[in-house]
Amino acid sequence: MRIVMATSEAVPFAKTGGLADVCGALPIELARLGHDVSLFLPAYRSARQSGMPIEPTGIELPIPIGTKTVVGRLLKSHLPESNVPVYLVEQDQYYDRDALYREAGHDYIDNCERFVFFCRAVMESLRRLSAPVDILHVHDWQTGLIPALLKIEYRAVPPLEHAASVLTIHNLAYQGNFWHWDMTLTGLDWKYFNWQQMEFYGHLNLLKTGIVFADALSTVSPRYAEEIQGPEQGCGLEEVLRSRRDVLRGIINGVDYRQWNPETDPHIAMRYGPENVAEGKAVCKAALQGELSLPVEPRTPLLGLVGRLADQKGWDLLAPVMQDWATHHDVQWAVLGTGEPKYHELLEKLAERYPQRIAVRLGFSEALAHRIEAGADMFVMPSRYEPCGLNQLYSLKYGTVPVVRATGGLADTVTNLNEETLAADTATGFSFRDYSSLALSETLRRACDTYANQPEVWRQLIDRGMRQDWSWARSAKEYIELYRLALAQSKSNQIAEPTQEST
Ligand code: ADP
């Protein structure tokens, strides 16, 4: 199959979260399975500074945006250690910035324009490159316009006449919702601005646009695919998603074990596998405690947390628990993250007040993230919702027992320790359902008790987790099935015109 991916993030060019990990790894796995894959990405400043070789293609892209024409250029690179081409859309006014989407807590004011431009630039590039395309796989709201452009403007344009589109939703809460006049930027007729297609409570909604026009849809775990069809997690789009449930799949993200494997990890104090995990983790734990200026205590449980400091990740539950535990329990916390200023302030205060128990690093550090995965005894993820989550999968591989809230991908990938799962030999961690500090605190206590008093059970948890395989090989095959579904759908799904009822 000839597969083109369009995304706003992919490692090592640009990353704010899990989307980048997926788009850096999935194309390589698809290529390994024998498919022809290429990737499109904006040429952000971070992409230019990634150290990857970038060359011009000579292709200029004059793109109509509202009443003006904005010119971009197409550059070319490749994914590391692969032949997968990466096409970078250069337009410095849009993409040569400090960040990808927002600075100092505020979205860039021209985000709609920046990504409408990117979507149109991808379509024009494909026309100019004229290599046949079977599947256009887009990700999240930033590329949500592409399925609409394919159906409305490009369905008879070579080489896209036979192409089908797939949209993967990595996080339904980010929808690309803009005021209605931004519809003019898209260049599409106002007749598509209706409640069944691009409009959402008076706004232009680019994620909804993708959901409506794509031939097939996926999200990043089966549980999340179910959850988003209900009012609690549907973010207002549950009805639209339910109407498309026949073509919606949940596919768990894979882990790139070339990057996340304690047997080969260049960032950690000692490399280890299931055979020497006790020694390896002891060395990595002592090194991490030293690095973070925590007392080097081998038996004090060390709890790791890495990620965006956002409400989604359960910081409102964690804050009181950390505060309470710092005075009552002999555990240490290692926190790495950036995000909302209120959590920066709070964590700084906690670290200042309890330097023996709480170590906080506010920033983005790939290397420290690896050292926390290797050095911590447990990894804590009490997410309010979690489409897939990657850190719990890294934790399993690193012998770091996950303590999670049973939601989305966390529910699909972590098996709670109880009598039944202990007997069946399937437990890999600890989980709870209620979104409350009490439930989190009780589960942490359960985990710490097991750590202190049942060393044999603890060893089993570690061993089972480390031997699981969450690599991309399985997930990539599921994407191929999804692409087949999209191709079959696209033949019967040509009509994009608004119905009487929707106008
Ligand atoms: P999300 O995509 O919702 O942010 P995921 O768990 O799916 O969460 O993926 C987050 C990815 O970003 C992981 O690879 C994680 O290690 C990484 N990450 C998040 N914050 C940081 C940080 N401050 N420093 C280093 N890596 C981080």
Side-chain angles (χ1 to χ4, degrees), residues 235-254:
C235 303
L237 292 176
E238 58 271 18
E239 292 296 340
V240 190
L241 285 159
R242 257 210 304 276
S243 74
R244 303 228 58 206
R245 65 175 172 270
D246 292 350
V247 294
L248 169 63
R249 300 285 180 274
I251 304 176
I252 296 267
N253 287 337

Side-chain angles (χ1 to χ4, degrees), residues 15 17-18 21 306-308 313 336-337 363-365 369 389-391 394:
K15 171 165 174 171
D21 294 309
V306 179
R308 286 183 294 118
K313 300 291 177 182
L336 168 66
F364 198 96
S365 164
L390 288 169
N391 281 312
Y394 305 154

Side-chain angles (χ1 to χ4, degrees), residues 229-301:
Q229 294 178 52
E232 210 176 292
Q233 307 239 17
C235 303
L237 292 176
E238 58 271 18
E239 292 296 340
V240 190
L241 285 159
R242 257 210 304 276
S243 74
R244 303 228 58 206
R245 65 175 172 270
D246 292 350
V247 294
L248 169 63
R249 300 285 180 274
I251 304 176
I252 296 267
N253 287 337
V255 173
D256 186 351
Y257 286 130
R258 292 170 314 162
Q259 303 217 22
W260 292 95
N261 180 353
E263 292 180 80
T264 54
D265 193 327
H267 302 293
I268 63 181
M270 180 184 155
R271 296 184 188 159
Y272 60 92
E275 310 308 329
N276 61 342
V277 54
E279 188 198 352
K281 284 201 74 73
V283 170
C284 290
K285 179 173 175 176
L288 182 64
Q289 287 169 323
E291 177 178 354
L292 298 177
S293 305
L294 291 166
V296 181
E297 296 285 355
R299 288 305 302 160
T300 301

